[in-house]
Amino acid sequence: MLVLGAGFGGLELSTRLSEELDADVDVTLIDQADAFVFGFSKLDVMFGKRTPESVRLRYEDITTPQVRFRQETITAIYPKARRVVTDLDRYDADVLVVALGADYDLAATPGLAEAGNEFYTVAGAEVLSELIPSFQTGTAIVGVCGAPFKCPPAPSEAALLLDEHLRGRGVRDDVRIQVVMPFGVPVPPSPDTSAAILAAFAERGIEFLPDHVVASLDAATNEAVLDDGNRLHYELFLGIPVHRAPTVVETSGMTEGGWVPVDPGTLATRFPGVYAVGDVTSVGTPKAGMFAEGAARVVADQLIARIRGAVEPPGYDGKGACYIEFGGDEVARVDVDFVWTPGQPTGTFVSPSMATAAEKAAFASTRRARWFGG
């Protein structure tokens, strides 16, 4: 078994196979990074609540039996042969699972790298952690540069936490906060969630600019240029970059329309013995960790049933959840079902509270212990 990518999907799949099959499975897990980071930890880094080093869970600490981690850069994928070439080795697999996530394409938004900042990488969040404490007047724009993008609530969270940070420093009255998003509402599958976020925006004086993306940044004028040509002046730009499948996946011939198509129930690709889970796919669920984790469990269950000669298990149910920081140490949750009513996903909102904040902390703690043994 060869698993490419050690994010939510790759870690959960590897762990579950090891738990259930023990010596009957041999898993090689490959990732070019040396550590895993929960996506929501980048907000903690951006606002100075945690250091970049403290949010890193090093892959060298993985102690899961039957799982060998290799820190290598994947240079080629041959799905028909289930063969993978890295900068250090070559692998041939009985089963290949692609869980490489989505990459960020800063160059797709002219001026973003030169005239703005992004907070979707640890490095980008760290840069902003040094800029935000000195920001005290003018306009801050939280701008989405393309869709789809990971963790749809994240732009709203960034705006709410920036508002809280500025109020704590006593400079909020001198700052305008705007959120540019490609959706008509913050979280389209859940009207109640969107209403709660918009109510929080209205209460805190945050402007929501729906149905637009930031097409470019003008470094000469400090303006964000929207997709309709309108220009917004800013002093601080917090961007969500355009997302794309990793280049090595694109060149493998696995993608259609930019992402890897899979059977929505089994997560199988059109190549026998090759599966794909998480953000790299076009399965139709949000690009978020909990959905990748759920998809990985489905693939694991199918492989376990096949090895044991058992009845094929139920397919992917498209269910998952996202936690949403509202500030004041309160966290909300939205539970989303993308399969029950095809084409019409539904979402249930759990109001912000300290109890849900504790639940979010427990969520991270259990995954940390499950995947890294502590």
Side-chain angles (χ1 to χ4, degrees):
M1 164 74 66
L2 184 59
V3 181
L4 308 182
F8 270 88
L11 287 168
E12 178 61 23
L13 175 64
S14 302
T15 301
R16 187 168 179 83
L17 289 173
S18 176
E19 287 176 340
E20 295 290 333
L21 297 175
D22 195 26
D24 291 334
V25 68
D26 181 49
V27 180
T28 299
L29 176 63
I30 302 176
D31 199 293
Q32 66 180 356
D34 66 349
F36 170 79
V37 177
F38 288 104
F40 49 70
S41 296
K42 295 162 192 172
L43 290 172
D44 292 334
V45 172
M46 183 166 71
F47 289 103
K49 298 177 181 178
R50 297 187 66 182
T51 65
E53 185 58 32
S54 72
V55 302
R56 292 161 52 83
L57 299 173
R58 294 190 176 277
Y59 292 130
E60 64 183 20
D61 294 332
I62 292 176
T63 58
T64 308
Q66 319 306 329
V67 177
R68 296 190 312 274
F69 174 75
R70 296 288 183 265
Q71 185 184 356
E72 300 173 14
T73 298
I74 298 163
T75 57
I77 302 171
Y78 301 98
K80 287 184 180 179
R82 297 191 295 278
R83 175 172 295 163
V84 173
V85 179
T86 73
D87 58 341
L88 298 178
D89 211 338
R90 190 187 84 174
Y91 301 85
D92 292 286
D94 296 317
V95 177
L96 172 63
V97 182
V98 179
L100 287 168
D103 282 351
Y104 306 126
D105 188 357
L106 272 67
T109 306
L112 176 57
E114 300 80 17
N117 299 95
E118 55 80 21
F119 60 94
Y120 265 48
T121 66
V122 174
E126 184 177 12
V127 169
L128 280 164
S129 73
E130 298 170 356
L131 295 176
I132 289 174
S134 61
F135 175 64
Q136 55 188 11
T137 185
T139 298
I141 296 176
V142 180
V144 179
C145 297
F149 60 94
K150 297 180 187 179
C151 193
S156 301
E157 292 180 289
L160 292 168
L161 294 175
L162 179 61
D163 169 87
E164 179 180 52
H165 171 85
L166 295 171
R167 290 182 189 279
R169 289 171 45 212
V171 297
R172 178 64 179 92
D173 291 344
D174 298 321
V175 174
R176 182 183 193 183
I177 301 177
Q178 297 178 305
V179 179
V180 179
M181 198 177 293
F183 312 137
V185 292
V187 183
S190 175
D192 289 344
T193 304
S194 294
I197 291 173
L198 291 174
F201 282 179
E203 178 184 355
R204 304 177 199 189
I206 298 170
E207 302 172 36
F208 181 65
L209 285 66
D211 298 317
H212 289 294
V213 296
V214 176
S216 64
L217 297 182
D218 189 332
T221 61
N222 265 33
E223 290 177 315
V225 183
L226 304 188
D227 49 355
D228 63 356
N230 281 329
R231 303 171 75 93
L232 305 174
H233 183 79
Y234 67 89
E235 276 69 37
L236 179 67
F237 185 84
L238 297 78
I240 296 86
V242 170
H243 289 36
R244 61 180 294 174
T247 301
V248 70
V249 178
E250 292 179 334
T251 57
S252 73
M254 297 184 67
T255 62
E256 292 179 9
W259 306 99
V260 179
V262 293
D263 181 293
T266 66
L267 290 312
T269 71
R270 65 182 183 275
F271 301 97
V274 181
Y275 297 81
V277 299
D279 297 349
V280 76
T281 74
S282 56
V283 71
T285 58
K287 295 188 183 303
M290 204 176 291
F291 289 90
E293 183 181 316
R297 290 198 197 103
V298 169
V299 173
D301 287 346
Q302 291 178 72
L303 296 175
I304 292 164
R306 182 189 305 173
I307 290 171
R308 292 176 173 170
V311 176
E312 183 175 335
Y316 183 43
D317 62 10
K319 294 180 180 178
C322 291
Y323 292 105
I324 308 171
E325 295 280 350
F326 269 72
D329 296 324
E330 292 192 329
V331 174
R333 192 185 74 238
V334 56
D335 301 314
V336 187
D337 185 335
F338 278 81
V339 173
W340 182 255
T341 307
Q344 295 182 329
T346 57
T348 303
F349 181 59
V350 178
S351 298
S353 68
M354 295 185 72
T356 307
E359 177 189 303
K360 176 184 174 182
F363 169 86
S365 178
T366 56
R367 270 70 183 172
R368 190 163 50 242
R370 175 172 168 74
W371 298 335
F372 295 90

